[in-house]
Amino acid sequence: PATAQYVCRRKLLTVNGMHTTLAFMTLQEREAGPGILGDYPLLTPGVATAEQQRSIWAWAVARGCLLLFEHDVEVMMNAHAVDTTDALVDDLLNMCRQALDRFNTTEDTTARVLSGGVRVRWQGRLEVVDTFLSKCKRLGPVSEQLVKQAGISLPEMQSCVRDLLDATRPLTLDRPGDRADAGTVAVLLDFDGTLCNT
């Protein structure tokens, strides 16, 4: 069960989560908020500027650190079929690169990626990373190894993550006239952790 939970969470963070990161990076360039007015082709690493590519990589590595924080290293090593933490770090970074490379080969849009709800996706796939990093004074030994090998630092990850959160927070707000009636109570259930959907 622990291995299956890790594999599901890994997909949610590294694939679905980075998909969401790219969607909000796209909107960062196109929308000011409140809310979102349009639907746009998704930014991909291959067409991103050097600064954007650095931020994309920082987000990918930060998600790897979050996985290491949430899961037992032995469970992760078993799931990756490796015997050492060195090999685990190598495999995690390779998976990050492969996920980013795949985004270059597919066309997608912001509306489809965020179809589960803009605020829900922002909170569940972006803010969760910022919450982890903002409380992180120092990384664990395997995470430190991951970050060092990735050629990045904890302060840079924290800065890249926080910058995107700050820039896109207005997009999660309701546009004037979009609010539900005062007497209506809306209930939204998000099953991401169970279904691992986009």
Side-chain angles (χ1 to χ4, degrees), residues 73-146:
V73 172
E74 293 295 329
V75 171
M76 295 176 67
M77 289 170 59
N78 181 60
H80 287 257
V82 297
D83 298 323
T84 66
T85 55
D86 287 351
L88 175 61
V89 166
D90 286 341
D91 208 38
L92 282 171
L93 291 176
N94 284 335
M95 290 188 71
C96 288
R97 294 187 183 98
Q98 289 168 7
L100 296 180
D101 286 343
R102 281 197 297 271
F103 293 141
N104 288 324
T105 64
T106 58
E107 295 182 358
D108 216 330
T109 67
T110 53
R112 196 204 69 79
V113 174
L114 302 178
S115 61
V118 175
R119 186 180 296 114
V120 170
R121 292 294 182 250
W122 188 88
Q123 292 173 336
R125 298 185 182 173
L126 266 63
E127 191 175 35
V128 65
V129 181
D130 181 58
T131 299
F132 159 65
L133 288 179
S134 65
K135 295 178 180 179
C136 193
K137 303 303 180 185
R138 61 173 301 174
L139 297 167
V142 183
S143 289
E144 285 186 348
Q145 185 179 352
L146 180 78

Side-chain angles (χ1 to χ4, degrees), residues 184-190:
T184 302
V185 177
V187 177
L188 179 62
L189 301 179
D190 182 18

